[in-house]
Amino acid sequence: MVGSGKGAEMGVLFRKGAALEVLAWVDTVVLDKTGTLTQGQPEMTDFDAIDCDATEILRLVAAAESKSEHPIAEAIVCAARERGMEIPPVRDFKAEPGFGIKADVDGRRVQVGAGRYMERLGIDLKDVEARAGELAAEAKTPLYAAVDGQLAAVIAVADPLKDGSLEAVGALHALGLEVAMLTGDNRATAKAVAEKAGIKEFFAEVLPEDKSKKVQELQMEGEVVGMTGDGINDAPALAIANVGFAIGTGTDVAIESADITLMRGSLHGLADAIAVSKATLRNIKQNLFGAFIYNVAGVPVAAGILYPLLGVLMNPVIAGAAMAFSSLTVVTNANRLRLFKAQEH
């Protein structure tokens, strides 16, 4: 109870009591990228049209993306509106999570998405591979737009790291934990973002439905996994992890699926939660040891083990006082957790 209260003071809500204990054994923390490590508010940074009018292609792409709820779609639509473009109506919109979207705009078929989506459509990306590689090396996410089955543009979107993400990852490393990043971005982009965040291990090009599988793979290797995310597609992974952390500014589904909610919306709460958990578990062990010693020493004496040798019997009043003192010791020791202080951030 004291540990949970201390966590709440630091903006860490333990929704399940068992999580407070299990968290002390976590040795690997998996971080979703978008909205967890990063701000979750991407901006379109580059729009390279290929042998066509950039303004017209951006207008078509923005129209198709206007029906999507993905943050990247919002970034593209926002960029088009900032350029004073009017968004035309859209028909037959369809989204494929992890791949991209397609729609009919002004009688033209517009398809926008990741490289794997273009490959599925049979669109050759060889001529733009070098450009996409440059963008990915700058920690930008390259996307592609096709109009009427022909490659029309390379688009780049950047999502900056949250303030303090680098320090939070460092704090996790200082606690002796392995940290891994999970993202649907291509390998080059994922590597660049991971390096900026101080993370060595990362899983790239992970489809939304495969996030929970990655957590399971780590668990099968003997890891005790803490998963952190904020989106709807993170919910299955949060539920299957040994301990699930939801960012408080994330979706309701993610929060409901997690064991712990980080109310401040930053990753600093991760290290705080783990530190509180370890301190609480140490305290519990101290209390169990103390209570065990009281009983080991007191019960035999109360049962009369010393009477045949010394003629000594324990007065029931003394036995009752010793029992009360045992409880007082445990409660007092537990309240020492109130003095626990989080790391300076």
Side-chain angles (χ1 to χ4, degrees), residues 46-67:
D46 301 83
F47 190 92
D48 299 344
I50 301 170
D51 300 328
C52 51
D53 180 24
T55 300
E56 175 62 13
I57 297 301
L58 177 56
R59 189 180 74 90
L60 295 174
V61 169
E65 293 284 14
S66 67
K67 295 297 182 180

Side-chain angles (χ1 to χ4, degrees), residues 68-304:
S68 173
E69 296 178 351
H70 197 283
I72 288 178
E74 294 178 10
I76 294 173
V77 173
C78 182
R81 284 178 173 153
E82 286 176 354
R83 290 166 171 76
M85 297 181 184
E86 289 194 13
I87 308 299
V90 176
R91 295 180 57 195
D92 299 327
F93 172 84
K94 184 178 180 181
E96 294 188 55
F99 286 88
I101 58 103
K102 64 179 179 180
D104 288 340
V105 184
D106 289 348
R108 307 185 72 179
R109 186 171 77 257
V110 180
Q111 294 160 307
V112 187
R116 54 179 170 266
Y117 186 41
M118 296 296 117
E119 290 172 8
R120 177 193 284 185
L121 297 173
I123 295 173
D124 190 0
L125 300 178
K126 288 183 179 178
D127 293 340
V128 295
E129 280 182 351
R131 177 56 178 156
E134 292 174 4
L135 295 170
E138 297 171 3
K140 299 175 182 178
T141 300
L143 302 169
Y144 307 90
V147 176
D148 295 329
Q150 299 295 318
L151 186 65
V154 178
I155 309 165
V157 175
D159 188 6
L161 290 177
K162 285 182 179 178
D163 292 338
S165 285
L166 180 61
E167 293 79 5
V169 170
L172 292 173
H173 283 145
L175 290 171
L177 301 170
E178 294 291 331
V179 181
M181 185 185 77
L182 199 62
T183 178
D185 287 340
N186 65 52
R187 184 172 180 81
T189 302
K191 182 180 180 181
V193 174
E195 287 177 350
K196 282 189 173 184
I199 298 173
K200 294 180 181 179
E201 186 177 8
F202 61 90
F203 303 105
E205 300 182 17
V206 180
L207 296 176
E209 62 268 24
D210 290 337
K211 290 184 177 182
S212 59
K213 293 180 183 178
K214 283 296 180 184
V215 172
Q216 282 182 307
E217 287 175 11
L218 290 171
Q219 290 172 325
M220 290 175 67
E221 293 171 5
E223 304 288 337
V224 181
V225 181
M227 172 69 193
T228 309
D230 75 321
I232 293 173
N233 57 24
D234 297 324
L238 292 172
I240 205 168
N242 297 91
V243 180
F245 295 89
I247 304 297
T249 53
T251 62
D252 291 343
V253 174
I255 292 171
E256 286 298 320
S257 301
D259 306 297
I260 299 170
T261 303
L262 306 179
M263 301 304 295
R264 288 183 294 182
S266 76
L267 290 178
H268 286 304
L270 270 174
D272 292 342
I274 292 169
V276 167
S277 176
K278 289 181 180 292
T280 302
L281 198 61
R282 280 197 304 271
N283 196 283
I284 289 172
K285 289 177 179 178
Q286 292 164 1
N287 290 343
L288 286 172
F289 178 77
F292 186 71
I293 290 298
Y294 271 107
N295 284 284
V296 166
V299 170
V301 175

